[in-house]
Amino acid sequence: GRLILPQVQMIRACLDINAIVIIAKETELKQTLEKLKDKPDIVICDSQVVKKVLDIIPKDVAFTTFSIIFSSNKSDFKTMLEGIKAIKNLKPENKILIAEACSHHASKDDIGRVKIPKLLSKYLGFDIKFDVSSGIDYPKNLEQYSLIIHCGGCMINKKQMISRLNYAAEKKVPITNYGMVISFVNNTLDRVI
């Protein structure tokens, strides 16, 4: 029901390079693609609908998510991708930090606070403890976490995001982002990277 800042920023970036941007909801994507004379160069979707969209996009069309793009443009793609490996080693006694760079009003089905914990717990087959950090304050006690799952960082700049990655590395805590986790648990990561 809304355009979030990463989507708006991506649309603006596409317009800045004189690209043609066509926007469709996942429910209208199939008919939108059928109406195009040429296939798109790339399809970018919200991480939360990646599984639905995957079945619609032709295999020869580049496909990714806003979050995956932000992991490259706003942070360090390789570090974020490497962080995914930590999911396989998680145990019920571990703790995960959900890190949000902004302080937004969380909705009842918030992606970081509700959807990702549910998806990850279902994938793991057990409940795990999640803490949430929001805003410009970043926890100093990162060593208590087995994984940090960070938002895309649309409200901070690359230097601030890299600083967060470096601090996680200093504390030897793997870090990844929302979209990579969602794509990983939905078995779509290879397609969107």
Side-chain angles (χ1 to χ4, degrees):
R2 62 194 173 108
L3 279 176
I4 60 172
L5 190 55
Q7 295 164 344
V8 173
Q9 289 176 351
M10 187 56 53
I11 293 166
R12 179 72 257 161
C14 290
L15 293 174
D16 288 345
I17 61 167
N18 299 319
I20 296 170
V21 179
I22 299 169
I23 304 167
K25 291 164 72 176
E26 73 277 8
T27 52
E28 282 79 34
L29 179 60
K30 187 175 183 341
Q31 69 187 45
T32 301
L33 289 171
E34 289 169 354
K35 290 179 182 180
L36 295 176
K37 183 176 141 195
D38 299 315
K39 290 179 186 176
D41 293 315
I42 188 168
V43 173
I44 307 167
C45 76
D46 188 281
S47 297
Q48 296 178 76
V49 295
V50 71
K51 207 167 181 181
K52 292 178 189 174
V53 172
L54 184 65
D55 295 332
I56 300 168
I57 302 302
K59 300 230 182 298
D60 61 340
V61 172
F63 172 54
T64 193
T65 70
F66 294 102
S67 191
I68 299 294
I69 289 174
F70 270 64
S71 71
S72 181
N73 292 349
K74 285 272 191 155
S75 65
D76 180 72
F77 183 81
K78 288 180 182 176
T79 299
M80 292 293 199
L81 190 57
E82 188 68 25
I84 281 293
K85 294 177 183 176
I87 292 174
K88 296 175 184 175
N89 300 319
L90 291 171
K91 296 172 182 54
E93 63 272 12
N94 294 145
K95 285 171 60 173
I96 296 174
L97 176 66
I98 300 290
E100 301 170 340
C102 68
S103 53
H104 65 283
H105 295 288
S107 64
K108 65 179 183 200
D109 62 343
D110 187 79
I111 187 169
R113 298 165 190 244
V114 178
K115 289 183 178 177
I116 288 175
K118 262 190 210 174
L119 278 170
L120 203 47
S121 293
K122 183 178 176 187
Y123 174 83
L124 293 169
F126 54 81
D127 289 333
I128 196 162
K129 172 100 169 85
F130 290 88
D131 288 341
V132 176
S133 166
S134 63
I136 58 169
D137 294 328
Y138 198 55
K140 298 294 179 213
N141 57 346
L142 290 184
E143 57 278 340
Q144 69 177 307
Y145 298 104
S146 298
L147 176 64
I148 299 167
I149 304 173
H150 208 291
C151 70
C154 65
M155 295 297 291
I156 59 177
N157 61 37
K158 185 169 185 163
K159 183 178 179 184
Q160 291 168 306
M161 192 65 160
I162 294 295
S163 174
R164 289 178 173 212
L165 268 66
N166 289 341
Y167 190 61
E170 180 185 312
K171 297 294 182 178
K172 297 182 178 21
V173 181
I175 186 168
T176 190
N177 81 0
Y178 286 13
M180 287 194 180
V181 170
I182 292 169
S183 293
F184 176 79
V185 300
N186 283 317
N187 201 28
T188 58
L189 187 61
D190 288 342
R191 177 69 165 103
V192 296
I193 62 168

